[in-house]
Amino acid sequence: MEDRVRVVIAEDSVLLREGLTRLLTDRGHEVVAGVGDADALIKTITDLAAQNELPDVVVADVRMPPTHTDEGVRAAVLLRKQHPELGVLVLSQYVEERYATELLAGSTHGVGYLLKDRVAEVREFVDAVVRVARGGTALDPEVVAQLLGRSRKQDVLAGLTPREREVLGLMAEGRTNSAIARQLVVSDGAVEKHVSNIFLKLGLSQSDGDHRRVLAVLTYLNS
């Protein structure tokens, strides 16, 4: 399969870990390993890297043993520093702004943050795993809404119209211009105009390349 990716899953719930494995393998992807805590995740990735068998993406729970606080996201941030080419998609029960910000504050390539409820939308979840594995971004709509709503960041986005903010939120979810057009029931040309205006107002030049779509959403994180 052209989109076949290799995945390591880090989730302490055996039932959910097995469920994620089944979702991915049923669609032709390879789950290289499944682990139940952050230490095991780091060791697994270290061992695979030593064998030149680094997976395309890690899917990890934010909260993992032993304290069930932030072990998962801490491991994800560490692995991104050690292996910049490794995609990381973290799952969380709730929108935890601090963890989302920490994960997204570094490189914008190959990163995702989804609520666990999104796993029930199987196609969207699997698409998100593949997108992150290929260097893209996948942000849960609830995460986007909360981050964009932070009062201390309003000055960064003050110049955007309500429609441009709406388009920006859909861009952050990883949607293409065509998908945004279908969602908003407008033409592709209208979406392209909104996207161009967003880039212009946020000071993102053509030299930023394709990653302007991600930078447009994450600019406020570094302001």
Side-chain angles (χ1 to χ4, degrees):
M1 293 176 59
E2 183 179 349
D3 285 335
R4 181 175 180 270
V5 298
R6 301 174 67 250
V7 187
V8 168
I9 298 174
E11 166 59 56
D12 62 295
S13 166
V14 176
L15 184 61
L16 180 54
R17 188 166 71 237
E18 292 301 319
L20 294 175
T21 299
R22 181 66 180 270
L23 287 179
L24 292 166
T25 56
D26 280 355
R27 284 153 186 81
H29 304 296
E30 180 184 357
V31 175
V32 180
V35 299
D37 60 68
D39 289 342
L41 171 60
I42 293 172
K43 183 179 186 305
T44 296
I45 296 301
T46 300
D47 290 346
L48 288 171
Q51 300 167 27
N52 199 28
E53 292 288 342
L54 194 70
D56 299 305
V57 60
V58 165
V59 177
D61 191 357
V62 166
R63 297 174 179 264
M64 300 183 72
T67 68
H68 291 279
T69 54
D70 60 358
E71 283 88 348
V73 74
R74 294 283 181 198
V77 171
L78 174 64
L79 290 173
R80 283 182 60 76
K81 291 179 180 178
Q82 294 178 340
H83 308 285
E85 69 276 28
L86 176 67
V88 173
L89 173 62
V90 299
L91 303 178
S92 179
Q93 192 68 42
Y94 310 102
V95 177
E96 302 185 77
E97 184 178 311
R98 177 167 64 90
Y99 299 149
T101 302
E102 184 174 5
L103 183 68
L104 298 170
S107 171
T108 60
H109 310 304
V111 64
Y113 188 112
L114 295 180
L115 296 183
K116 287 187 176 180
D117 288 348
R118 205 65 58 189
V119 176
E121 300 171 16
V122 176
R123 182 174 180 179
E124 290 190 16
F125 169 70
V126 175
D127 285 348
V129 172
V130 174
R131 189 159 63 248
V132 171
R134 298 306 185 210
T137 304
L139 300 182
D140 194 282
E142 292 297 324
V143 175
V144 173
Q146 184 159 321
L147 291 178
L148 291 181
R150 296 172 69 178
S151 60
R152 71 186 181 90
K153 300 299 184 181
Q154 292 302 310
D155 58 328
V156 179
L157 306 176
L160 301 185
T161 67
R163 177 61 94 180
E164 288 166 353
R165 287 171 179 259
E166 190 173 11
V167 169
L168 180 55
L170 293 171
M171 287 166 57
E173 293 173 30
R175 301 183 188 236
T176 64
N177 285 1
S178 295
I180 294 173
R182 290 193 297 272
Q183 176 73 19
L184 300 181
V185 194
V186 297
S187 68
D188 287 2
V191 173
E192 290 174 4
K193 183 176 180 180
H194 288 312
V195 172
S196 294
N197 287 340
I198 291 169
F199 291 158
L200 179 64
K201 291 178 180 180
L202 295 184
L204 299 172
S205 67
Q206 291 186 357
S207 63
D208 292 311
D210 294 338
H211 297 296
R212 287 190 299 174
R213 296 184 71 86
V214 178
L215 292 173
V217 179
L218 302 181
T219 294
Y220 69 94
L221 288 174
N222 297 317
S223 67

